[in-house]
Amino acid sequence: MRLTDSLEGLTPDDLQGFFVGWPNPPTAETFHRLLAGSYRISLALDEHGRVVGFAQAISDGVLTAFIPLLEVLPEHQDRGLGTALMRHLLEQLGHLYAVDLSCDDDVVPFYGRLGMGRGNAMYRRNYARQSGVPEEGR
Ligand SMILES: CC(C)(COP(=O)(O)OP(=O)(O)OC[C@H]1O[C@@H](n2cnc3c(N)ncnc32)[C@H](O)[C@@H]1OP(=O)(O)O)[C@@H](O)C(=O)NCCC(=O)NCCS
């Protein structure tokens, strides 16, 4: 297992199996596009070079970053990978003032162990767009 902060050399084929439980998940191509458009990423690669876990941050690059997505494939969970991905991503965001995310109650202890404090989150969801906005021109 290896962590990387780069998408270089990875294709949508290497990004299969994520968004478990999402009724209308992004395709692997859309997933590749959202990683490419992120401010910083952390990817866990298995011995075949396939991605088995990822974390993504978006940011203004000045003060604030937000971590929208973190996921480890089910068969790789509970082995410290989620923690390693978050540490790797937070290191890359060390120059910023604020790093925020929203999560369900059950993962609050997980993020707490990474030094994050608990706050409130407000959100809005447009489920018609859960699979992603189509690429322009498509
Ligand atoms: C959350 C997630 C990324 C953690 O990845 P992981 O590789 O299993 O994490 P680690 O092995 O580093 O840490 C696991 C610890 O977090 C806890 N944990 C993770 N998800 C949990 C959940 N949904 N409920 C309760 N505890 C959870 C585990 O119980 C474990 O605790 P322990 O160390 O006391 O045994 C992974 O469970 C996942 O992909 N879940 C589905 C997507 C998701 O919920 N993402 C977070 C969105 S905010």
Side-chain angles (χ1 to χ4, degrees), residues 70-72 77-83 106-107 110-111 113:
L70 163 72
E71 187 174 355
V72 172
Q77 288 179 11
D78 277 326
R79 293 183 212 155
L81 213 47
T83 302
D106 54 358
V107 279
F110 169 82
Y111 289 117
R113 287 195 291 272

Side-chain angles (χ1 to χ4, degrees), residues 39-40 57 59 65 67 88-96 99:
Y39 179 66
R40 296 285 189 272
S59 179
I67 299 178
H88 186 225
L89 189 63
L90 290 170
E91 270 171 32
Q92 298 179 61
L93 303 173
H95 57 295
L96 296 173
V99 179

Side-chain angles (χ1 to χ4, degrees), residues 29-52:
E29 286 74 16
T30 302
F31 182 21
H32 190 277
R33 209 152 47 84
L34 81 80
L35 291 173
S38 297
Y39 179 66
R40 296 285 189 272
I41 56 173
S42 178
L43 307 175
L45 306 179
D46 70 8
E47 62 276 23
H48 309 292
R50 289 177 178 266
V51 177
V52 298

Side-chain angles (χ1 to χ4, degrees), residues 12 25 46 58 75 83 109 115-116 125:
D46 70 8
I58 56 176
E75 60 272 31
T83 302
M116 304 193 76
R125 296 287 183 268

